[in-house]
Amino acid sequence: MIDRSAPRKLAAELRAQFEAQGAVSVEPPFLLPADKLLDLYGEDIRGRAYVTSDPARGEMFMRPDFTVPVVEMHMAQGAEPARYTYAGEVFRRQEENPDRAIEYLQVGYEVFDRADPVGAEAEVFARIATALKPMGLKAVTGDIGLLRAAIEGLETTERRKAALLRHIWHPRRFRALLDRFSGRAPVPAARAALLSAADPLAHAGPMIGLRSAAEIEGRIAALKEDAATAPISERELELIEALLDVRETVPFALEQLRDLAVDLPAINDAVGRMAARSAALEKLGVSLETLEFEATYGRTSMEYYDGFVFGLIAEDRPDLPPVATGGRYDALTSKLGQGREIPAVGGVIRPGLVLDLGGLS
């Protein structure tokens, strides 16, 4: 039998530490309504969620993390600004990594603050990094907002921008779209044949799927419109690639990003926000000289992150997931806020991993 007493004790200690720093302790439910909340997670987490059915409530799932239920709770009844902490189990299937736990503890710290979003980002990172400082973990930061801004500034159609934004969290798909939209990759033969046909549905056979003929025709029209669109310029593509290649300590990363912003002005505001966050981190005692920034960091994590992201990892244990992760998720508050939204950022620690790596002593 697994001894859960030590992880629970550490989780309680970490939560108490965050409470002492001004966070209110909350306890979201274990079971959540699937029809309302499951789609807010990315493909990876949706595919690993434990789903069940309740005769009265319909399809339910066991929480795979705390952020979504905490946001739902806050948007329904929370005051502003607000700081929350929690400790409890989350549940994820692990078909691809059977040696990893399917049930484990998370301790979190979440901040909802309209007045100083950048300060809140620095606060969350510093609180979690300080709590784990005795472990000597490597901290990595990123900012999904930079890539989002670069995409939104492209000289191409809104349809193409939307497709790229939708696949930011799937690097291989994103790369394939960039190659296709820039003309580097040829149009697939099957698609080319479909678009060149006088009547694409002439030999389609009976309609047996969920889509209507009108929906299929609309999709074909969109594909034809895209085929007639001018490719993304080689210069814009090279700038996007240069942005994705930024991987340096924060001061040098900022220098590179400012240089890029001369030719890619769409990222100016995001770079300015990063600079302000860096200054806020320094005020909280975080050393920027050793803090790493990777423009691609966080692109395979939760799809609700839309800005600053971070992780704390054990460099000598690449087989383990990060000990702590976090990020900004403003769009999630809008989706759950019924027309209201508030800047929000948070992070989680895995007490079980902390103990597996030797604890905080």
Side-chain angles (χ1 to χ4, degrees), residues 187-200 220 224:
V187 177
R191 177 172 296 184
L194 174 71
L195 296 179
S196 63
D199 182 3
I220 293 172
K224 287 184 175 180

Side-chain angles (χ1 to χ4, degrees), residues 72-244:
E72 183 185 37
M73 176 206 71
H74 176 81
M75 299 311 291
Q77 59 192 26
E80 297 181 18
R83 284 158 176 78
Y84 302 110
T85 186
Y86 47 80
E89 291 84 359
V90 297
F91 309 87
R92 298 183 190 178
R93 288 161 35 201
Q94 302 285 5
E95 284 94 339
E96 294 185 9
N97 298 285
D99 292 334
R100 291 187 179 179
I102 60 174
E103 174 186 351
Y104 57 89
L105 287 165
Q106 280 187 349
V107 178
Y109 184 79
E110 315 280 340
V111 177
F112 297 76
D113 190 344
R114 200 179 300 278
D116 186 13
V118 169
E121 291 172 354
E123 175 187 334
V124 169
F125 175 85
R127 292 274 192 264
I128 290 177
T130 299
L132 299 177
K133 188 174 182 179
M135 298 184 67
L137 300 170
K138 176 184 177 181
V140 183
T141 63
D143 194 334
I144 302 295
L146 285 160
L147 183 54
R148 292 183 64 87
I151 293 168
E152 288 165 355
L154 290 173
E155 294 180 4
T156 191
T157 63
E158 293 304 314
R159 192 188 299 274
R160 284 185 169 182
K161 292 179 187 179
L164 288 167
L165 288 170
R166 189 165 58 250
H167 291 295
I168 277 181
W169 295 273
H170 310 105
R172 292 180 65 183
R173 294 186 209 172
F174 183 85
R175 178 76 255 179
L177 284 175
L178 271 183
D179 288 343
R180 179 156 61 85
F181 293 159
S182 65
R184 284 186 178 178
V187 177
R191 177 172 296 184
L194 174 71
L195 296 179
S196 63
D199 182 3
L201 296 182
H203 306 289
M207 303 293 293
I208 58 174
L210 296 176
R211 290 184 179 180
S212 66
E215 288 174 321
I216 295 172
E217 289 169 352
R219 175 60 178 159
I220 293 172
L223 291 174
K224 287 184 175 180
E225 177 190 321
D226 185 73
T229 300
I232 294 173
S233 71
E234 190 67 20
R235 179 171 177 75
E236 283 190 311
L237 187 60
E238 288 173 354
L239 288 168
I240 294 287
E241 290 172 336
L243 172 62
L244 292 173

